[in-house]
Amino acid sequence: NAHIAYLISKCAVRPENVLALTFSKAAARDMNDRFYSTYGSLIPEGIKFSTIHSFSYKIIRHYFYINKIDYELIEGTKTNHNKRYILQRIYRSINKSNINDDKLDELSNSISFVKNLMIETRDFKQYKFQTKNFDKIFKAYEDYKKNNELGKRLLDFDDMLIEANNILEENKLILKKY
């Protein structure tokens, strides 16, 4: 918070040009409350405190709207198009057996690990993924999210971060806006 106050008071950065990112909604609220309880009398309102996922989603919504890309978030939904259900189906199709909840959590965590570290599929052999046929499941999952019966681009939480980063790297107008 002191860094934000310094930017505004000493470097003449306008509050509406400051975006403070954190991982959880609670942390974003806490940062906002602490900042304004400490510096509120000196610095006007306008600073945005957000989660990284919320900010990423804002970028994606903007880009997909402009480019007329139909999409759906698949985290936490109660439909047959949620991440867990999709992974269960793919696992069953590839391994010819069902997956229990613990193994499904392990699979989901492994997928997040791969995506967040941007590990290439050719490098999977360097890691000891516990899920049988992990490489095939990962590829089928990524392919399904791009080509499915809904005709939509499906996004999980990890995709939101990766997609927003790609948009900002490739689209100079959106980068400038944000």
Side-chain angles (χ1 to χ4, degrees), residues 133-149:
N133 294 314
F134 175 78
D135 55 338
K136 292 177 184 172
I137 293 169
F138 180 84
K139 182 178 181 337
Y141 175 63
E142 292 302 307
D143 289 346
Y144 178 79
K145 288 185 302 169
K146 292 177 183 139
N147 301 300
N148 55 70
E149 67 278 5

Side-chain angles (χ1 to χ4, degrees), residues 34-178:
R34 280 188 295 124
F35 182 85
Y36 284 109
S37 69
T38 305
Y39 303 104
S41 62
L42 304 170
I43 296 173
E45 297 275 332
I47 299 167
K48 292 169 278 313
F49 294 89
S50 175
T51 66
I52 186 72
H53 286 95
S54 177
F55 177 65
S56 296
Y57 188 47
K58 186 176 190 174
I59 293 167
I60 290 166
R61 278 194 325 255
H62 183 160
Y63 178 83
F64 282 13
Y65 175 78
I66 290 169
N67 291 286
K68 296 177 177 44
I69 299 170
D70 199 8
Y71 68 95
E72 185 175 319
L73 297 180
I74 59 171
E75 296 276 4
T77 63
K78 302 289 185 211
T79 68
N80 290 347
H81 298 93
N82 71 55
K83 182 179 182 177
R84 293 181 70 79
Y85 182 80
I86 293 166
L87 288 173
Q88 286 172 334
R89 271 194 354 235
I90 291 170
Y91 182 93
R92 189 178 316 114
S93 171
I94 290 174
N95 288 328
K96 308 299 184 220
S97 64
N98 291 323
I99 186 170
N100 67 35
D101 284 341
D102 289 340
K103 294 290 185 183
L104 184 59
D105 289 340
E106 187 176 290
L107 170 59
S108 183
N109 290 337
S110 295
I111 288 171
S112 290
F113 175 80
V114 164
K115 289 164 73 171
N116 288 313
L117 292 181
M118 295 185 225
I119 298 170
E120 298 291 331
T121 52
R122 67 178 177 268
D123 297 327
F124 283 4
K125 288 181 176 51
Q126 296 175 23
Y127 301 89
K128 296 193 184 323
F129 297 113
Q130 299 300 311
T131 303
K132 181 180 172 186
N133 294 314
F134 175 78
D135 55 338
K136 292 177 184 172
I137 293 169
F138 180 84
K139 182 178 181 337
Y141 175 63
E142 292 302 307
D143 289 346
Y144 178 79
K145 288 185 302 169
K146 292 177 183 139
N147 301 300
N148 55 70
E149 67 278 5
L150 297 174
K152 295 181 179 183
R153 177 77 194 282
L154 304 178
L155 300 168
D156 62 26
F157 285 148
D158 300 313
D159 295 327
M160 289 171 55
L161 302 178
I162 294 166
E163 192 70 38
N165 184 64
N166 291 342
I167 290 167
L168 293 175
E169 285 182 349
E170 295 169 10
N171 190 303
K172 301 303 179 211
L173 292 174
I174 291 179
L175 176 62
K176 184 175 181 176
K177 174 181 170 54
Y178 292 101

